[in-house]
Amino acid sequence: MKAAFFSSTRRAPKAFLELRDVPRPEPGPSEILLRVLACGVCRTDLHIVEGDLPALRDELIPGHQIVGEVVAIPGAGNVNGALKIGARVGVSWMGGVDGGCWFCRHNMENLCDKPTFTGYSVNGGYAEYVSVRADFTYPLPFGLEPTRIAPLLCAGMIGFRSLRVAGVMPGERVGLFGFGSSATLIIAILHHWKCEVFVVTRGESHRKRATHLGAHWVGKETSRPPVALDRAVTFAPSGDVVVSALSSLRKGGVVAINAIHLDRMPTFDYDKLLWGERQIRSVANMTREDGRDFLKLAEELRFAPEVTAFSLTDANAALQAVKDETENGSAVLVP
């Protein structure tokens, strides 16, 4: 099979990945083999190849927004007989947990002490085939094409998790700081919940898109929403953006940081910005329950994300498009 490999010793800008021909993976215990139909390209993948996240393997096939077709089910990999050859399933960032740590036993598997991360601690979907844990796949019953489903499997799920971490309630004023793939998906959920959405983002194209998708107010990265916000979600890997969001909150409001990595956390005035029971919360992964609930809602709301498709041979170009924010919609690889 063909696969795009990242080597932790290879740091060539715009050429982080090398396409190779390698044998198909052999499913291990409790795993199944998928033929990859599409794999979304996420900013987390960029953090991995640029070294913002420490390397966990010398060589790695990235990719964790996988839409695949089941092609092999070893006996132990079939979860309660629910999977069938030819079924279409989704795979996300959380590729497994130990099941026995304190967090798993207290319904917080997203904080597991020994997690498996698809496309980071194990090989992912920048390939023609991938082996995954059967119990960390999601049935995909609805009829969207694979490229349009792929962004839902991380950008959508972690965006939905962010709304939960922020404690968003119907009818509230919610700020989205940054307007990439994740924000363009969850704005539809906020509209469904009859929230007023305020978007702060750099880039005229992102501001136009936010306006097109029905944001109540849209401003530049140096702007401040005209009203105090109940909740805010930040998407940029920037501590300055977090402080900007915090300064826009009412007392008792919450900022949820939807970022696996921040450049830094700047100092700020506690008395003016955090006092008054305001909160800053990080968003760390998602649970399978988050994923199932989001996909059910996505089907109900008939999500159909805009995407830019790249061939597997153009994986480096797809990563660069995410870095430069030039992709029209979510970037997706098609083997």
Side-chain angles (χ1 to χ4, degrees), residues 12 27 52 88 111 120 138 147 179 208 210 215 306 314 320-321 323:
D52 295 325
R88 193 170 64 163
L111 302 179
Y120 185 35
Y138 298 91
T147 55
F179 204 72
K208 286 182 177 178
E306 294 180 21
D314 290 328
Q320 191 63 36
K323 180 179 178 65

Side-chain angles (χ1 to χ4, degrees), residues 93-272:
W93 171 249
M94 290 294 289
V97 295
D98 64 19
C101 72
W102 187 91
F103 297 100
C104 287
R105 289 185 284 106
H106 288 80
N107 200 31
M108 292 183 281
E109 67 178 14
N110 60 305
L111 302 179
C112 175
D113 283 331
K114 296 179 181 178
T116 296
F117 296 129
T118 310
Y120 185 35
S121 62
V122 298
N123 285 331
Y126 287 16
E128 293 178 322
Y129 292 87
V130 63
S131 289
V132 298
R133 264 183 60 168
D135 56 341
F136 276 79
T137 61
Y138 298 91
L140 300 173
F142 51 104
L144 280 179
E145 58 190 77
T147 55
R148 291 183 181 269
I149 295 175
L152 304 181
L153 297 169
C154 180
M157 288 182 181
I158 199 65
F160 181 66
R161 172 76 185 179
S162 298
L163 299 182
R164 285 184 160 174
V165 169
V168 175
M169 300 295 290
E172 289 191 320
R173 292 170 170 166
V174 181
L176 303 179
F177 288 73
F179 204 72
S181 179
S182 188
T184 62
L185 293 171
I186 66 171
I187 192 173
I189 297 174
L190 293 171
H191 289 325
H192 180 63
W193 291 345
K194 302 188 186 309
C195 294
E196 289 185 6
V197 182
F198 299 79
V199 173
V200 177
T201 188
R202 67 180 187 180
E204 185 179 356
S205 63
H206 284 195
R207 291 192 292 274
K208 286 182 177 178
R209 197 171 183 202
T211 299
H212 174 71
L213 292 176
H216 183 79
W217 174 91
V218 179
K220 297 179 180 180
E221 66 270 29
T222 55
S223 302
R224 185 169 175 173
V227 296
L229 304 175
D230 300 302
R231 319 284 168 181
V233 180
T234 67
F235 298 92
S238 165
D240 289 332
V241 172
V242 175
V243 174
S244 176
L246 184 62
S247 70
S248 301
L249 289 182
R250 63 160 169 81
K251 287 183 284 188
V254 179
V255 174
I257 305 173
N258 182 348
I260 197 171
H261 163 78
L262 284 185
D263 56 359
R264 63 189 177 86
M265 194 63 197
T267 58
F268 59 86
D269 189 324
Y270 169 87
D271 296 350
K272 291 181 179 179

Side-chain angles (χ1 to χ4, degrees), residues 92 138 152-153 157 160 164 286-297:
S92 190
Y138 298 91
L152 304 181
L153 297 169
M157 288 182 181
F160 181 66
R164 285 184 160 174
M286 74 286 284
T287 66
R288 283 172 286 182
E289 182 181 16
D290 292 327
R292 288 188 291 266
D293 290 348
F294 169 73
L295 288 175
K296 181 179 179 181
L297 187 57

